[in-house]
Amino acid sequence: MNQKDNPRVAIITGASQGIGAGLVSAFRSAGYAVVGTSLSIRPSEAPDFLTLQGDIAQIETAQRVVQQALDRFGRIDSLVNNAGIYIGKPFIDYTADDFVAITAVNLAGFFHITQRAVRPMIAQGGGHVW
């Protein structure tokens, strides 16, 4: 099959705006099918772009994103962990709730989706995680 019939597939977290939206555009321009996820991503009708709303800090979101990527496209070649939060205040002013929010997205979210995406990558012989 040619690249159009069997495209490489990328999952991009934090895909609804800014750098994430730019990554979606770049990967699609390079011939990838893309699964984009964020809290506020809008639905897409494009056959090569699946969008899924969800909180990447939640295990269920990671599982759903990976499973729907496999269901729709049959493989995962790249995972771009772009989702992250930043709370702009001095470190000594962070609260316990700030810490929980930051580590939930920036650490737990990265862990949950990466672990789930790497399994099919290993099974298919390789992939990339950023």
Side-chain angles (χ1 to χ4, degrees), residues 2 8 24 29-30 36 56 58 72 76 80 84 90 100 104 124-125 128:
N2 66 31
R8 292 170 291 173
V24 168
S29 292
I56 202 62
Q58 300 298 315
R72 174 118 169 223
I76 300 168
V80 182
V100 168
Q124 71 196 22
H128 302 94

Side-chain angles (χ1 to χ4, degrees), residues 6-11 33-36 50 52 61-78 113-126:
N6 189 19
R8 292 170 291 173
V9 178
I11 295 174
V34 174
V35 179
L50 174 63
L52 299 167
T61 298
Q63 183 60 42
R64 184 170 49 89
V65 169
V66 169
Q67 189 58 57
Q68 289 194 27
L70 293 171
D71 290 348
R72 174 118 169 223
F73 300 116
R75 61 184 296 123
I76 300 168
D77 298 285
S78 296
I113 197 157
T114 301
Q115 186 180 53
R116 284 155 181 80
V118 166
R119 285 185 182 126
M121 288 181 192
I122 291 170
Q124 71 196 22

Side-chain angles (χ1 to χ4, degrees), residues 7-126:
R8 292 170 291 173
V9 178
I11 295 174
I12 301 174
T13 68
S16 64
Q17 60 186 357
I19 293 170
L23 288 165
V24 168
S25 179
F27 272 85
R28 290 180 71 202
S29 292
Y32 280 73
V34 174
V35 179
T37 185
S38 78
L39 283 171
S40 61
I41 199 161
R42 293 180 182 181
S44 170
E45 298 296 324
D48 68 335
F49 185 33
L50 174 63
T51 59
L52 299 167
Q53 285 188 343
D55 181 352
I56 202 62
Q58 300 298 315
I59 294 171
E60 297 80 12
T61 298
Q63 183 60 42
R64 184 170 49 89
V65 169
V66 169
Q67 189 58 57
Q68 289 194 27
L70 293 171
D71 290 348
R72 174 118 169 223
F73 300 116
R75 61 184 296 123
I76 300 168
D77 298 285
S78 296
L79 168 64
V80 182
N81 283 294
N82 176 66
I85 62 169
Y86 168 73
I87 299 173
K89 60 183 171 183
F91 175 75
I92 59 171
D93 294 336
Y94 277 18
T95 65
D97 288 341
D98 294 336
F99 175 79
V100 168
I102 291 168
T103 57
V105 173
N106 299 358
L107 181 60
F110 170 90
F111 175 85
H112 296 308
I113 197 157
T114 301
Q115 186 180 53
R116 284 155 181 80
V118 166
R119 285 185 182 126
M121 288 181 192
I122 291 170
Q124 71 196 22

